[in-house]
Amino acid sequence: MIEVQQITRFFGRVKAVDNVSFQVEKGEILGFLGPNAAGKTTTMRILTTYLPATHGRATVAGYNVHTDSMKVREHIGYMPENPPLYQEMRVIDFLNFVAKIKGVGAKNIGSAVTEVMGKTDIENVKNRVIKQLSKGYKQRVGLAQALVHNPDVLILDEPTVGLDPKQIIEVRELIKSLAGDHTIILSTHILPEVSMTCERVVIIDKGKVVAEDTPDNLTKALAGAERLNLVVKGPKDKIAEKLTSLQDINLITSTARKNDLVNIQIESKTKEDSRPLIAKTIIDSGWDLYELKSEGVSLEDVFLHVTTREEGTGQ
Amino acid sequence: MRNFMAIFNRELKSYFSSPIAYVVIGLFLLISGVFYYLIVSNFVQVCMRADMQAQMYRMAPPKLNVNMMAIRPILHNMSLFALFFLPLITMRLYSDEKKTGTIELLMTSPVTNLQTILGKFSAGAVLYLVMLLATSIFMILLFIFGKPELGPVLTGYLGLFLLGLSYIAFGLFFSSLTDNQIVAAVSTVAFILFFWAIGWVSGFVSPALGGIFENFSLIGHFDDFAKGVLDTKHIVFYLSFITMGLFLSNISIESARWRGK
Ligand SMILES: Nc1ncnc2c1ncn2[C@@H]1O[C@H](COP(=O)(O)OP(=O)(O)O)[C@@H](O)[C@H]1O
Ligand SMILES: [Mg+2]
């Protein structure tokens, strides 16, 4: 549905986007993750035909963003970082206007607007002037304008930024409910957002794609550095010694608790799940195993890992 | 056409749902009205004095021309006031969209730049037309209390309209250059003043050069309209000037897209 091939964009001498390529399949939600100034907005603006790329090629819904921009525009709904709202208009008038310029047929405008107000849950404010709405409602009106013509592709630039926690959850739920019918690209600098809403992630940093996969695979790829928490009954130092003698296991901390219980945290770099081996080792040594838990790797770790490696300071 | 109408309607509604239209129309009427009053009362005094003199010397009263002595200066005054008021109408057309980010909506919707430009321009033009129609009350009063010729009034208004459209076209252009409305308005006034004044310097340079300058003078082309002369060369001049302003707006928007401004 979306194909990006080696896109580069300069602003003067600043290379905001550097040879970025990726694809999005029909019906997929792609998370576009990166810190501030990574080039997320610029990439999205290129896909929405707002900005031309300096080099490279991109197609959306089968149309080239550069040579067929009007066709592309018919097939996309775009919510920029700041929702583009005419503050002095009433919600319903604004959505009618957007429906018109998005090419919704005159007969269908009424029903399209009603439907999108239902989807985004803004019917109760439809007669209010936009500037009097709360930030959360403005964000929904922003989503509604992107959705009103029922586009194949939705491009959402940091859709939850500036919202309070309750609103964030609501907007995420809304976005998830849109998947399937629409192909979605969603940018964010918030990690949990991606694992919660997206099926696939492209991580971008300083204009470059540094990783691309499902949130699960990305965290697994970094595994090898899986963390395990254990509670064992036995002598603290001996347990630590025994565990570290195993291959690919490093001790992080061990602290003694009451009743001979010991809390142990280890890092496992084994290919396979090391939990059975560890359990067996402890039982065979005659100690009691009370708890054995894998912490997994958070997307946070992945993110730090790929971005610091990029700088050459990390591994 | 649909897109053009959508943009046009939105702009026009936005003018009339904010105070700007009423303030500009109101002030324009007020200032034009003050000068109208001064010019007309002066004209009436001149007439009365002439009548008295005629009676004193037992001569027929002279025929003073209300078109020449009152209407023409009134039209000229309005052409100047429009220069200061129209940029207040055009300054927001693009600058505001740039500032608030709604330009991103327009430029990612299947609407061409030309449709947007023409829609915005026409909304400004209609607002200006409303302004001019409101001032027609002044002329109607003259027709009730005197016997002016209708022709020069009509050509004068046509000239005023074309002149104003030239201001609006370039007001739109300067608005497309910046996200700052004040900058847009001030540059428009400065630019238009330059094209006013270009006719005045023609007296100081060689006749050949002076002729060229005079041809470019915005107000020079208005004189004939105010006199009641309808000459296609002046109409063509204003239409070219307007087209140039709209064309430059298009270039400016397209180039801003490339530069990422
Ligand atoms: N219109 C612009 N003019 C000049 N530089 C820009 C412009 N837009 C973005 N940049 C620069 O490009 C880089 C990427 O910006 P952006 O795409 O907005 O990143 P993100 O959305 O990931 O925060 C930044 O260094 C930013 O300063
Ligand atoms: Mg951004």
Side-chain angles (χ1 to χ4, degrees):
Chain A
M1 205 59 174
I2 301 173
E3 250 188 270
V4 180
Q5 291 167 5
Q6 301 178 326
I7 281 218
T8 297
R9 167 78 206 206
F10 282 94
F11 289 109
R13 255 187 251 129
V14 178
K15 213 180 203 178
V17 174
D18 187 356
N19 207 22
V20 163
S21 304
F22 61 87
Q23 288 188 11
V24 192
E25 301 304 325
K26 196 171 186 319
E28 198 179 16
I29 305 193
L30 178 85
F32 205 50
L33 178 67
N36 277 326
K40 303 182 295 292
T41 299
T42 306
T43 308
M44 296 187 133
R45 283 179 165 173
I46 291 169
L47 292 180
T48 56
T49 77
Y50 182 68
L51 278 179
T54 316
H55 305 292
R57 207 183 104 90
T59 60
V60 175
Y63 299 102
N64 185 304
V65 292
H66 188 60
T67 56
D68 244 344
S69 59
M70 285 298 149
K71 279 285 177 202
V72 170
R73 292 176 184 196
E74 284 171 17
H75 287 86
I76 55 161
Y78 173 38
M79 180 156 91
E81 232 165 324
N82 303 312
L85 307 172
Y86 290 104
Q87 302 285 340
E88 79 283 359
M89 287 178 104
R90 293 187 315 152
V91 170
I92 186 157
D93 296 336
F94 173 65
L95 292 175
N96 277 325
F97 166 72
V98 177
K100 252 181 247 164
I101 61 169
K102 297 288 182 183
V104 178
K107 273 179 285 168
N108 305 325
I109 287 182
S111 56
V113 168
T114 309
E115 195 186 323
V116 82
M117 287 194 302
K119 258 191 210 169
T120 50
D121 202 9
I122 51 175
E123 236 151 13
N124 52 331
V125 295
K126 68 178 178 190
N127 289 318
R128 299 259 295 274
V129 174
I130 292 175
K131 72 173 159 217
Q132 294 165 352
L133 297 180
S134 69
K135 173 91 189 152
Y137 269 114
K138 281 185 183 165
Q139 203 77 358
R140 282 155 188 251
V141 178
L143 267 173
Q145 65 78 30
L147 278 168
V148 69
H149 54 307
N150 200 22
D152 297 331
V153 174
L154 266 181
I155 298 185
L156 312 173
D157 197 354
E158 311 225 9
T160 59
V161 84
L163 299 181
D164 67 37
K166 186 165 162 280
Q167 296 167 335
I168 289 179
I169 292 169
E170 288 168 359
V171 168
R172 280 181 193 156
E173 287 302 319
L174 178 58
I175 292 170
K176 265 204 248 177
S177 74
L178 297 171
D181 293 343
H182 308 268
T183 306
I184 304 179
I185 299 191
L186 168 156
S187 83
T188 178
H189 64 272
I190 306 159
L191 296 147
E193 184 147 295
V194 171
S195 33
M196 266 177 253
T197 43
C198 303
E199 294 151 16
R200 216 153 50 82
V201 196
V202 168
I203 300 182
I204 175 172
D205 186 42
K206 301 197 183 72
K208 288 194 174 120
V209 173
V210 290
E212 179 189 345
D213 215 326
T214 62
D216 278 355
N217 281 349
L218 276 176
T219 45
K220 271 196 202 128
L222 201 74
E226 192 179 24
R227 275 184 193 194
L228 300 173
N229 284 320
L230 296 90
V231 180
V232 182
K233 190 169 194 168
K236 181 178 133 206
D237 294 339
K238 282 220 173 108
I239 298 170
E241 199 179 311
K242 185 83 190 170
L243 287 176
T244 46
S245 71
L246 297 169
Q247 213 180 359
D248 287 333
I249 304 276
N250 295 316
L251 182 77
I252 298 174
T253 55
S254 63
T255 38
R257 280 176 20 183
K258 275 185 219 157
N259 306 333
D260 268 353
L261 288 180
V262 187
N263 277 4
I264 297 174
Q265 196 175 41
I266 56 177
E267 191 186 50
S268 154
K269 292 199 166 160
T270 51
K271 279 259 155 52
E272 274 141 44
D273 199 334
S274 55
R275 280 176 294 186
L277 175 68
I278 288 167
K280 192 166 180 303
T281 310
I282 287 172
I283 306 287
D284 287 353
S285 309
W287 304 314
D288 296 332
L289 181 60
Y290 278 71
E291 226 178 282
L292 171 56
K293 219 164 53 186
S294 164
E295 252 185 14
V297 184
S298 71
L299 211 49
E300 220 118 17
D301 297 324
V302 179
F303 189 61
L304 277 176
H305 182 76
V306 290
T307 52
T308 51
R309 182 181 54 192
E310 192 52 30
E311 266 168 16
T313 53
Q315 302 91 315
Chain B
M1 193 60 194
R2 234 171 75 89
N3 289 335
F4 162 80
M5 284 309 292
I7 306 270
F8 168 76
N9 280 327
R10 200 203 66 74
E11 288 293 347
L12 202 58
K13 268 192 207 136
S14 129
Y15 275 137
F16 286 101
S17 63
S18 72
I20 179 94
Y22 304 103
V23 170
V24 168
I25 293 176
L27 285 178
F28 183 74
L29 274 182
L30 181 71
I31 296 193
S32 303
V34 167
F35 278 80
Y36 167 83
Y37 173 78
L38 294 175
I39 288 167
V40 170
S41 60
N42 182 49
F43 175 71
V44 169
Q45 273 177 12
V46 170
C47 286
M48 288 193 342
R49 219 172 298 138
D51 272 354
M52 264 156 53
Q53 276 177 352
Q55 274 183 3
M56 240 189 307
Y57 299 109
R58 295 177 191 284
M59 293 188 323
K63 283 220 151 175
L64 293 172
N65 187 328
V66 57
N67 282 91
M68 203 168 79
M69 293 186 62
I71 294 179
R72 213 188 293 174
I74 291 168
L75 290 173
H76 267 107
N77 272 321
M78 292 204 299
S79 75
L80 181 65
F81 302 144
L83 160 60
F84 290 101
F85 282 105
L86 287 182
L88 298 178
I89 283 179
T90 56
M91 64 183 183
R92 48 172 286 285
L93 286 175
Y94 267 105
S95 302
D96 202 36
E97 306 243 16
K98 286 177 172 237
K99 179 151 247 155
T100 60
T102 46
I103 188 97
E104 282 199 70
L105 168 61
L106 289 184
M107 304 218 19
T108 58
S109 296
V111 178
T112 63
N113 288 344
L114 192 64
Q115 289 165 340
T116 307
I117 289 169
L118 289 179
K120 286 173 178 289
F121 173 76
S122 306
V126 167
L127 183 55
Y128 179 49
L129 199 60
V130 172
M131 255 160 89
L132 285 185
L133 287 180
T135 65
S136 67
I137 183 80
F138 301 149
M139 298 299 151
I140 290 168
L141 287 176
L142 288 181
F143 277 92
I144 291 174
F145 295 106
K147 286 198 206 65
E149 262 184 83
L150 181 60
V153 175
L154 291 181
T155 58
Y157 267 78
L158 176 64
L160 265 186
F161 187 57
L162 288 171
L163 183 67
L165 291 190
S166 312
Y167 301 163
I168 294 172
F170 274 88
L172 185 66
F173 167 61
F174 283 104
S175 180
S176 74
L177 288 178
T178 169
D179 63 6
N180 184 321
Q181 299 192 21
I182 306 297
V183 171
V186 171
S187 354
T188 309
V189 172
F191 175 85
I192 304 280
L193 270 180
F194 174 80
F195 272 91
W196 263 59
I198 204 168
W200 304 339
V201 294
S202 57
F204 303 98
V205 293
S206 72
L209 207 57
I212 293 174
F213 280 173
E214 210 137 75
N215 266 326
F216 280 104
S217 164
L218 264 178
I219 199 63
H221 288 271
F222 177 68
D223 282 340
D224 276 350
F225 285 105
K227 281 181 199 152
V229 180
L230 199 56
D231 190 334
T232 44
K233 100 176 165 209
H234 301 310
I235 297 179
V236 168
F237 169 79
Y238 283 127
L239 291 183
S240 318
F241 205 83
I242 293 163
T243 310
M244 181 57 80
L246 299 180
F247 177 69
L248 287 176
S249 307
N250 195 15
I251 291 183
S252 133
I253 289 157
E254 198 48 32
S255 108
R257 194 167 97 84
W258 282 92
R259 285 177 293 122
K261 287 288 168 270

